[in-house]
Structure formats: structure tokens, C-alpha cells
């Protein structure tokens, strides 16, 4: 199932030093203060779904595994750190001997995920568990952002294929490569990013740019040349000069002259500019009248979920979408605000929960070493709620379970006829990988199934119903007691 | 001056296959149609300055050089392409024997650049000049976007250092790494991205996270531990519990007890949340009263150019800024819309200009093989205008030059007492690098000097004066004649 292959290896980089510098100053400081081997627990979570959506789509776990598996400080890294004149020789030696020892849990890729629940949990010596913060966040923030955006766009396309076309406008090379991966997880049917097919075994597609057409003396010549090279893959870009007066008539002429005699059906026409609704309605009629009812109309002009919804509701005749910059950068909201917070520390063998206070209530963290259960209705298989519990708790499926809103605690609900699934799975145990990543197409399929278990009200693009993310009674009580303790400390 | 070094090599990847798949289908098609060696000319340019600014800051040329220098199709790439069953054996052989042969020009990094002028120009066999499109765009779009955003933020900070803190929210690993590079070009004083210091010799900085403070029993203990580990680099994060009641009193106590007796001055305090204006005014007084007038106040809470302008105009007491997600993703406008267009083709030794028509007037391209001159006033050294000319033209500095608006042609201006500088420099000649990239710090310094040559009205963050980007008379006439020709072809 694991799709590590020669292309991954080709591109394998040592990204150990892709860390915020403070991870290094803290690591050295922990060692200096003799607390480096204190066992700490960190949660990675986010606080808000981008674009006002109802859920996010988890992504990035495989790259996180690749990073953590290949953590090592090279001679160059060591030399560089020594030159900074900030670090003790004990710390430098520690890095030379570095061996990753943490336990890591993650929500498997493709799962719908929600605010304030841990997507990744890390337990280990604080010097290590802290160090990996930057890359945990960078990896999961980026891919979850793009998978979520892609999922929104695919939902708007309402069953029509969406192709990811954004490489040229991505934020850096990995923005394109892992962005394409995440877009596939979110539901795209293909990508234009060739290297993504090599690395992730997802279909790469593409035909021609306007420059192909311009290079020839006439549009007709350029279409003819294409049909001769690619009779079985004949999608023509028809908007270089004038879609209705030139592009479509020339396309039909070429289909008639070069494909029809050989019994080959054309694949499609692509329109990259202009009034989509108007043009596609006209183009559909022209193609149908010429006997090409099966010729697809592909649109690729600064699209996003809102434009797609609008043109479809206006009756545009579209078979597939190519979506570029607004998907690959999640343009409408290009930041996924995942954070990585200390939630507990071991002291004399006991796990001491920690909480991060803030005047901004929504920034207060959920303390302690935890679990997430997703409750499903046994009859409908629909997801009812996620319950965050202490690690030591288990949910008894045989009894009714009372869940309640952690802020408005009078909002209660008794859940019956349910089964509970634990969301976080171990991916590292004592520094060793214990998780075999599915392929991207398997993740895509899994994601579709899991997203389909959410009620339609949660799936809505705008104003979705807020899915329940509740705390168990024990966790809620623990959190209140810590809040009260701190409040007493700083009251006027 | 070239800063290629072992860290670049460590991270060297073969990104040849990071192309939109249509670059490959077109390349194969060109060869099939016997036009692969036709000499084509492409321009990379953008149409609009993000965020309503007056200019952009060019960046990414060094990475473009690295990519073009290392273009090659590996055995894996060849096998992958053969498996697609789309490409001729002639094309596969072409890729096996691939040797880059194009001429490439670019505007050197750090230059202020403007809409509709070519930032990169490529001349070569169309099969190659087309193929490199994706990476020319991806590289220059990303870094120019971030350098431009950084420049805006640094301008708002009005001389105060701005540190780039965004890695964890970047769009992928390269988004963090090359984003840090671009941020430095745009004017940042340092970055938190450690690997960027290794790769680009720019200062990496950082101190502690909230988790450092939480790991210890008390805030005081955590500050004390820090001061003992880093007496000479003592910047304390003071907002974990309560800035005014806990953070600052504890910081001053630790400064007094552990630094003062050793004659060491503290470096600073960092505030990452809360009301910046209110808190910094109070904190400044508390530090001053304690005798720490030289202790810096560093702010790092979801900042951008607008928030920085506002808090400074409200009298906030801030010495330095750490800017994260809104810089590293250019959050307010995360896409730099550079495009790559065919502008000419050689036929029987003659250069035939090409134009891309669009119903959207601003999308019409400037045809032909060109140059850009920037005109400077000899007395003030301020930039007056950029003039795009045909490649064959030269500007005579000894005579007055009449320039005119290419749309509103009655807007004319006679320029005297000027000198003209050509902006595009050769970076590849017949496939060989002919340009030695300056270091990032040299580019930063150069950029500062060149941006300072723009009038203050162009530099404004909001509603800047539009800098003149004019066409020479010959280029303007050529463009009109092509437009008239196409217009006649499709008139009703």
C-alpha cells in the first residue's frame, strides 16, 4: 500500500534544519537546564475552518512520516550550528548522536476534521517533541489547507471532474507538488503537475497552450497538427482568437476531416477566457449540431467554488473544470492556522496537564493527553459528534451517552444506537514508524466515504451546520479546574 | 559572489519534471509537426501589482538559473514518459539527448518592476522555450510575490527591523525556504527559518515559544533558566500568563538578578498577543523605570503592513516586528499573476512578431523581441519612466525623448537631462549560464538603492502614483498594426 518509490527517493531531501531557529535555542536550553528528557505531550490542532466551511480534510501525514523518519543532523548542519556560537558542546554532541524517540499519533489522511481536536499528538522527551513543531505544522497546515479547498471546489462541481492546473502560480516548488497531492486527496480527478504523477501515481493530464496555436500560421493548421499527433487525445483550446467565430468552427472542421474518417471521437474543447455561461451554451449547440454530443467542454478561467456554483446554476454547459491559482494557493483564505501546543508534562511518572491561557477565549487550549472518538449512528452510518476524552477514558457503546456543548453546557444531547471510532492512530512508537500510508488514490476514496458520512447540513459550502466537537465530562472538569486556578492567580 | 555552496547542493533536486503536462504534449507535438527547432521568443510578465501597490520587487532569478542549469531527463523520467503511451520514439530520444540551448534574459533580482514589462525573456527552439514555461513562472511568481509583500511590510515598519517568522504557515517546504529568501530581498532583517541561513547566508534568529515557559513550574523559573543559558541573547516572551502583571515583572526580576550583576544588558521582550498599542506603551514605561531603556520590545501577532502602520501611528512603542503567515503567504493577495506568452517566431531568418488578442483589453500582449530602458533624471537620480522598445532600437540620451501613454496617447511628456539603463541582462547564452548571481544580502542592498530611486508618490502603500511604463513609437505602431489586422479578420 505504501507508495514510496524511486521518485520519492530521487527527491528525498534532508529537511531536518527546516525549523524555526527557536526550536534549536529551546532544545539547547532544555539540555542546559537538565530538563531535556522530561516527557512532554504536544497537540497539533486548528481553531477555525477556512472559507466558513463546515469541516476540513486531513492531509500531509505521509510527508510528516517521511520527515520524521529521516531526521538527522549532517556534518554540514553541525558545522553551521557550531559557527553560531550559541550552543553548548553537550548539545552539539546530542545532535551528532540524535535518534528520534517520540511516540506520534495522527488522524489518517482523508478524514474530515474539525476545530480544536488534535490532528497530531506527540509524546516524547521535550527536546525532541518541541523540535519537530515547525515541520509538523508546515506539513499538515499546507496539505490540509489545499485538500480542504479542493474538496470545496469538487463539491461545487457536483460530480464533474475537477483538474488541478495551478503549478505556475503555486507558492514554491513543493507548493505545486504537495499541493497537487493534497488536491487529489480533496477529490480532484487529475493534475497538470507531471512530477506529481511520478511521485504519487495520480493521473497527470494536459494538452496545449495558446502558444501552440500562435506558433502555426493559422488556428486551423495548429488544430490539424494536434489531431495528427494526438488523434486519441484530441482536446483543442478554442479561445485564442474567437471562440464562436474561429475556435469552434476550426475544431469541428478538424474533427470532421481528420478524426471522423478514422472513426475516432474527439475528446473535448477547452475555453480559458470570456463569459463561460454564454459561450458554453453556444458551443454545446454547435458541437451537438455537428454530431459531437460526446465532445466535452472543459473550462479553465480563474475558477473557484463560488464561480463554479454560479455558472452551473446559470445553466452553463460544462463537462469538466481545470482550476488553477485559486485552488493551489487556497486564494480566498491561504493560511491554515494549525498550532502546536504543550498539553502535559510528566513529573515523577505522573502526567501533569498544562493549559495555555489567553484573554481571547477561543485561544485557550484543551489540556492533557487525549483521545478523539467519532460517534456514528448505527442505522444511518452518519457521524453524530466527535468527543475529545482523556486518554484513560473509554466510551461504552452499549449505553446511552450524554454529550454537551463545552461552552453552552446546558445544550445537551443523549446519543443512543451509536458506535464510536477512535480517530487518532499511532504513526510512530518510540521513534519507529508503525503506520503504512495508503496510496493517494486510496486516501481519496477513503475521504469520499468519510465525508459522505457527514450530514448534508455540515457539507454546505456556505453557512453549514456546526458539527459537534464536545469534551467528555472528565476532560471538561479538568479544564475548568485549571482555568479557575489561573484565574485566581491573576485576579485584581 | 555566487553563493552556491554545499547547502544548495545538499538540497539539489532534479525538478525537470515539475512541468504542466501540456508542456510535454506540446513538445512532442512540435517535433511531430517538424517545427520543434523553429526559433520562438517568449516573454514572462505580470499585469497588476498586488495589494494596489505601486511596484513589485523582482526575485527568483538565481533559482531559475539553478533549474535551467540542471535540466535533464533521468532514466526514471524516460521510463515514466514511455509508460504514458503518448510520445513518439523520436521525442523520447530527443529527451535522452536533451541539451538546453536557449538564450535567456532577466531583470536582476531586487529591481523594482512594473506591469506589462518582460521580467524574463526566452529565445530558442520552441520545443525548449515552451517547455520551461512552468518553472519560469513558478519560480519568479513565487519569489516576486513574497519579496513585494515583504517590501510593503518593511516600508510600513519605517526603519524598524522586520523578521520573517512564517515557516509553519508557509505553503510547503519551499514556500518557507525560498519565501524566507524573497523576504530578505524585500527588506527583512532576519528570518526564523534556519535552513535559509545555511542556504543563503542570511541571519536566522529565534528565542523561545510559550511551551518553554509552560514546561517550567513558574514563568520566573523559565526566564531564569533562559538567562542562564543565553545571558547575551536574552529576549523573553512575556505574554504566556499576563504581560503586565506577570511577564514584565518576572523579566525585570530576572534581568536584575542574573544579568545586571554580570554587567550584561538584556536584549528584549517579545509580546505575541493582546492589544499591542496599549501593552507596549505600558511595557516601555515599566522597562524604562527599571533602567532598561535599551531593552527592545518585539511584537509578533498576526501582523501585516496595515496593522503595523496603524499601531505605529497610534504611538505603540515597538523596536522590531516578527511577521508570520501574512508575509510568507502574502495573505491579502496570495497569487502573483505572471504569465508567459509567445511574442515572436523566426521564419526564414526573419523575426515575425506575434500578439495574443483578448476581449479583455488588459490581457492583450506586447508583441516582438524587446528591450526595457529605465530612464533616470541625471540631477536627482530618480526614475522617470520605463520604455519598452523593439530589440533593434537604442535610446539616444543626448536628445530630448518624447514618451506617451500607450492607451491615452495624447498624454505626452518630453524627457530631458536623463540617462537610460537597460533592465534586462543576459543570463543564458545558447544554454550556458552567463550571469553570476549576487548574494542575497547584496541583492537586498541593491534593491534598497533601486527602490529609493522611485519617487515617494510611487512608493506609497495605498493609492500610489502610477509609474510610467510606455512603449516606443515603433513598438506602439507595430502593436496597432497587428491589432488592426486581427480586428479586420473577426469583424461582424
Amino acid at each position: 500500500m505504501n507508495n514510496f518509490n524511486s521518485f520519492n527517493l530521487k527527491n528525498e531531501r534532508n529537511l531536518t534544519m527546516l525549523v524555526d531557529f527557536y526550536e534549536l535555542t529551546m532544545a539547547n536550553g532544555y539540555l542546559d537546564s537538565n530538563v531535556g528528557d522530561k516527557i512532554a505531550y504536544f497537540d497539533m490542532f486548528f481553531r477555525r475552518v477556512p472559507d466558513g466551511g463546515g469541516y476540513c480534510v486531513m492531509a500531509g501525514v505521509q510527508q510528516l512520516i517521511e520527515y520524521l523518519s529521516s531526521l538527522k543532523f549532517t556534518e554540514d548542519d553541525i558545522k553551521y550550528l557550531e559557527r553560531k556560537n550559541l550552543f553548548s558542546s553537550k548539545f552539539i554532541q546530542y545532535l551528532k548522536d540524535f535518534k528520534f524517540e517520540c511516540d506520534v499519533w495522527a488522524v489518517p489522511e482523508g478524514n474530515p476534521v474539525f476545530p480544536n481536536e488534535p490532528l497530531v499528538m506527540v509524546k516524547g522527551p521535550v527536546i525532541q517533541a518541541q523540535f519537530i513543531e515547525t515541520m509538523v505544522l508546515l506539513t499538515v497546515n499546507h496539505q490540509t489547507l489545499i485538500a480542504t479547498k479542493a474538496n470545496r471546489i469538487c463539491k461545487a462541481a457536483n460530480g464533474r471532474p475537477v483538474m488541478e492546473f495551478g503549478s505556475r502560480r503555486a507558492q514554491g516548488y513543493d507548493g505545486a507538488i504537495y499541493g497537487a497531492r493534497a488536491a487529489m486527496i480533496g477529490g480532484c480527478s487529475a493534475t497538470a503537475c507531471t512530477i506529481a504523477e511520478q511521485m504519487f501515481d495520480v493521473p497527470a493530464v494536459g494538452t496545449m497552450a495558446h502558444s501552440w496555436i500562435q506558433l502555426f500560421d493559422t488556428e486551423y493548421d495548429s488544430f490539424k497538427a494536434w489531431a495528427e499527433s494526438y488523434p486519441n487525445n484530441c482536446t483543442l483550446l478554442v479561445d485564442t482568437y474567437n471562440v464562436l467565430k474561429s475556435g469552434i468552427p476550426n475544431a469541428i472542421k478538424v474533427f470532421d476531416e481528420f478524426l471522423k474518417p478514422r472513426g475516432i471521437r474527439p475528446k473535448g474543447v477547452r475555453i480559458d477566457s470570456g463569459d463561460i455561461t454564454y459561450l458554453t451554451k453556444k458551443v454545446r449547440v454547435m458541437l451537438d449540431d455537428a454530431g459531437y454530443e460526446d465532445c466535452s467542454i472543459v473550462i479553465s478561467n480563474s475558477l473557484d467554488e463560488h464561480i463554479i456554483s454560479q455558472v452551473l446554476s446559470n445553466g452553463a454547459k460544462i463537462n469538466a473544470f481545470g482550476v488553477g491559482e485559486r485552488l493551489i494557493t487556497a486564494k480566498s483564505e491561504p493560511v491554515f492556522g494549525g498550532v502546536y501546543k504543550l498539553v502535559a508534562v510528566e513529573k515523577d511518572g505522573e502526567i501533569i496537564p498544562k493549559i495555555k491561557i489567553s484573554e481571547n477565549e477561543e485561544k485557550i487550549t484543551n489540556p492533557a493527553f487525549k483521545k478523539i472518538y467519532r460517534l456514528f449512528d448505527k442505522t444511518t452510518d452518519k457521524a453524530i459528534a466527535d468527543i475529545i476524552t482523556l486518554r484513560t477514558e473509554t466510551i461504552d457503546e452499549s449505553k446511552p451517552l450524554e454529550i454537551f456543548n463545552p461552552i453552552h453546557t446546558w445544550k445537551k444531547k443523549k446519543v443512543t444506537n451509536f458506535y464510536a471510532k477512535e480517530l487518532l492512530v499511532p504513526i510512530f512508537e518510540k521513534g519507529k514508524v508503525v503506520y503504512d500510508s495508503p496510496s493517494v488514490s486510496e486516501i481519496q476514496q477513503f475521504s469520499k466515504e468519510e465525508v459522505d458520512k457527514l450530514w448534508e447540513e455540515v457539507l454546505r459550502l456556505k453557512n453549514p451546520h456546526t458539527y459537534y466537537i464536545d469534551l467528555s465530562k472528565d476532560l471538561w472538569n479538568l479544564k475548568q479546574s485549571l482555568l479557575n486556578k489561573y484565574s485566581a492567580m491573576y485576579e485584581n
Side-chain angles (χ1 to χ4, degrees), chain A:
Chain A
M1 318 276 282
N2 196 307
N3 68 350
F4 279 83
N5 62 26
S6 61
F7 300 111
N8 283 66
L9 295 176
K10 180 177 85 171
N11 288 286
E12 197 175 86
R13 287 177 294 171
N14 180 1
L15 292 173
T16 303
M17 297 292 278
L18 179 37
V19 287
D20 284 332
F21 195 74
Y22 78 3
E23 316 288 10
L24 287 158
T25 48
M26 282 192 280
N28 177 65
Y30 288 136
L31 213 62
D32 249 18
S33 313
N34 294 313
V35 294
D37 54 2
K38 214 184 237 275
I39 299 299
Y41 296 76
F42 285 86
D43 282 2
M44 187 259 165
F45 62 94
F46 68 102
R47 297 187 179 111
R48 206 175 54 75
V49 178
D51 288 318
Y55 60 99
C56 291
V57 175
M58 178 71 179
V61 175
Q62 185 180 338
Q63 282 61 48
L64 182 58
I65 291 174
E66 290 172 15
Y67 167 72
L68 294 174
S69 309
S70 61
L71 267 180
K72 70 160 186 267
F73 297 85
T74 65
E75 268 182 51
D76 278 341
D77 300 337
I78 298 292
K79 271 186 216 155
Y80 156 75
L81 291 170
E82 285 176 334
R83 277 202 305 274
K84 293 287 279 187
N85 281 325
L86 264 177
F87 304 114
S88 69
S89 55
K90 186 176 159 196
F91 180 61
I92 296 291
Q93 192 58 48
Y94 177 85
L95 297 183
K96 284 181 184 169
D97 301 338
F98 188 88
K99 213 176 127 283
F100 185 57
E101 291 171 352
C102 294
D103 295 333
V104 183
W105 296 260
V107 175
E109 296 187 89
N111 267 298
V113 289
F114 299 92
N116 300 315
E117 60 188 17
L119 308 187
V120 179
M121 294 195 319
V122 177
K123 169 194 174 183
V126 67
I127 188 171
Q128 297 197 355
Q130 174 72 62
F131 181 83
I132 66 175
E133 174 186 35
T134 309
M135 279 292 277
V136 170
L137 290 173
L138 174 43
T139 303
V140 177
N141 278 340
H142 172 230
Q143 289 200 45
T144 303
L145 175 73
I146 305 301
T148 303
K149 184 68 175 180
N151 197 266
R152 290 176 62 78
I153 291 171
C154 292
K155 176 145 184 65
N158 203 10
R160 294 167 187 79
V162 173
M163 296 170 283
E164 185 284 300
F165 277 3
S167 290
R168 64 189 55 197
R169 302 278 168 82
Q171 295 195 356
Y173 312 128
D174 294 316
I177 297 170
Y178 297 113
R181 179 182 188 274
M184 294 299 301
I185 290 174
C188 287
S189 65
T191 175
C193 184
T194 308
I195 201 170
E197 177 164 61
Q198 290 184 289
M199 290 173 70
F200 312 121
D201 200 20
V202 297
V205 295
T207 55
M208 70 186 70
H210 295 112
S211 47
W212 169 273
I213 288 119
Q214 290 181 278
L215 190 82
F216 291 82
D217 287 335
T218 68
E219 189 180 50
Y220 170 79
D221 290 344
S222 77
F223 287 178
K224 178 177 155 230
W226 193 265
E228 284 172 343
S229 280
Y230 299 106
N232 296 304
N233 187 26
C234 197
T235 296
L236 299 172
L237 179 61
V238 293
D239 70 338
T240 305
Y241 302 112
N242 186 306
V243 175
L244 302 179
K245 293 185 188 171
S246 171
I248 294 297
N250 280 326
I252 291 173
K253 191 152 184 264
V254 164
F255 295 158
D256 285 345
E257 292 174 3
F258 297 92
L259 301 184
K260 199 183 248 175
R262 301 167 64 185
I264 303 171
R265 302 299 295 171
K267 275 270 188 79
V269 294
R270 179 162 76 93
I271 303 173
D272 191 44
S273 59
D275 186 310
I276 295 172
T277 305
Y278 172 78
L279 287 174
T280 58
K281 286 180 182 173
K282 294 275 186 190
V283 166
R284 187 70 272 159
V285 172
M286 290 167 82
L287 289 171
D288 290 356
D289 288 352
Y292 297 111
E293 298 88 350
D294 54 342
C295 179
S296 286
I297 299 174
V298 184
I299 296 297
S300 57
N301 179 25
S302 292
L303 302 171
D304 63 17
E305 64 271 40
H306 304 297
I307 295 173
I308 289 175
S309 294
Q310 194 193 318
V311 296
L312 290 179
S313 77
N314 289 345
K317 301 292 183 187
I318 300 171
N319 300 92
F321 297 94
V323 182
E325 62 193 41
R326 297 187 188 193
L327 164 53
I328 205 67
T329 66
K331 184 167 186 271
S332 53
E333 198 163 331
V335 172
F336 190 80
V339 295
Y340 188 78
K341 296 291 178 191
L342 184 76
V343 293
V345 176
E346 286 187 15
K347 197 170 180 179
D348 308 325
E350 199 193 338
I351 303 179
I352 314 291
K354 293 273 178 174
I355 193 166
K356 167 83 180 69
I357 308 296
S358 176
E359 284 179 49
N360 190 337
E361 295 81 6
E362 71 182 20
K363 284 198 171 184
I364 294 170
T365 59
N366 287 322
F369 184 31
K370 299 183 288 289
K371 276 191 215 171
I372 315 169
Y373 286 101
R374 182 158 296 167
L375 310 185
F376 295 93
D377 185 287
K378 271 189 187 165
T379 309
T380 62
D381 214 27
K382 291 286 182 189
I384 302 161
D386 287 6
I387 314 293
I388 310 175
T389 72
L390 295 173
R391 192 76 194 169
T392 46
E393 294 183 78
T394 48
I395 284 188
D396 184 352
E397 299 173 353
S398 68
K399 287 183 197 156
L401 180 72
E402 189 178 72
I403 61 177
F404 60 96
N405 183 299
I407 306 294
H408 310 290
T409 52
W410 51 270
K411 290 189 182 174
K412 292 178 187 173
K413 181 184 165 86
K414 192 157 278 179
V415 182
T416 55
N417 185 43
F418 70 96
Y419 67 94
K421 184 180 149 191
E422 226 189 297
L423 278 194
L424 288 155
V425 303
I427 60 169
F428 281 82
E429 278 176 12
K430 301 213 178 307
K432 298 276 170 267
V433 186
V434 293
Y435 182 75
D436 199 15
S437 275
S439 71
V440 172
S441 62
E442 287 167 334
I443 296 170
Q444 186 187 57
Q445 180 56 33
F446 171 75
S447 187
K448 195 183 164 332
E449 289 161 13
E450 295 305 308
V451 169
D452 281 349
K453 291 178 187 163
L454 302 177
W455 290 103
E456 188 57 37
E457 290 74 11
V458 175
L459 298 178
R460 235 181 257 145
L461 290 179
K462 285 183 198 165
N463 303 318
H465 176 80
T466 301
Y467 182 79
Y468 298 130
I469 301 292
D470 295 341
L471 307 186
S472 70
K473 255 178 213 147
D474 288 354
L475 178 54
W476 191 88
N477 285 333
L478 170 68
K479 186 172 178 174
Q480 296 309 309
S481 72
L482 290 175
L483 287 175
N484 288 328
K485 192 177 120 192
Y486 283 108
S487 159
M489 218 182 281
Y490 297 106
E491 72 188 6
N492 286 305

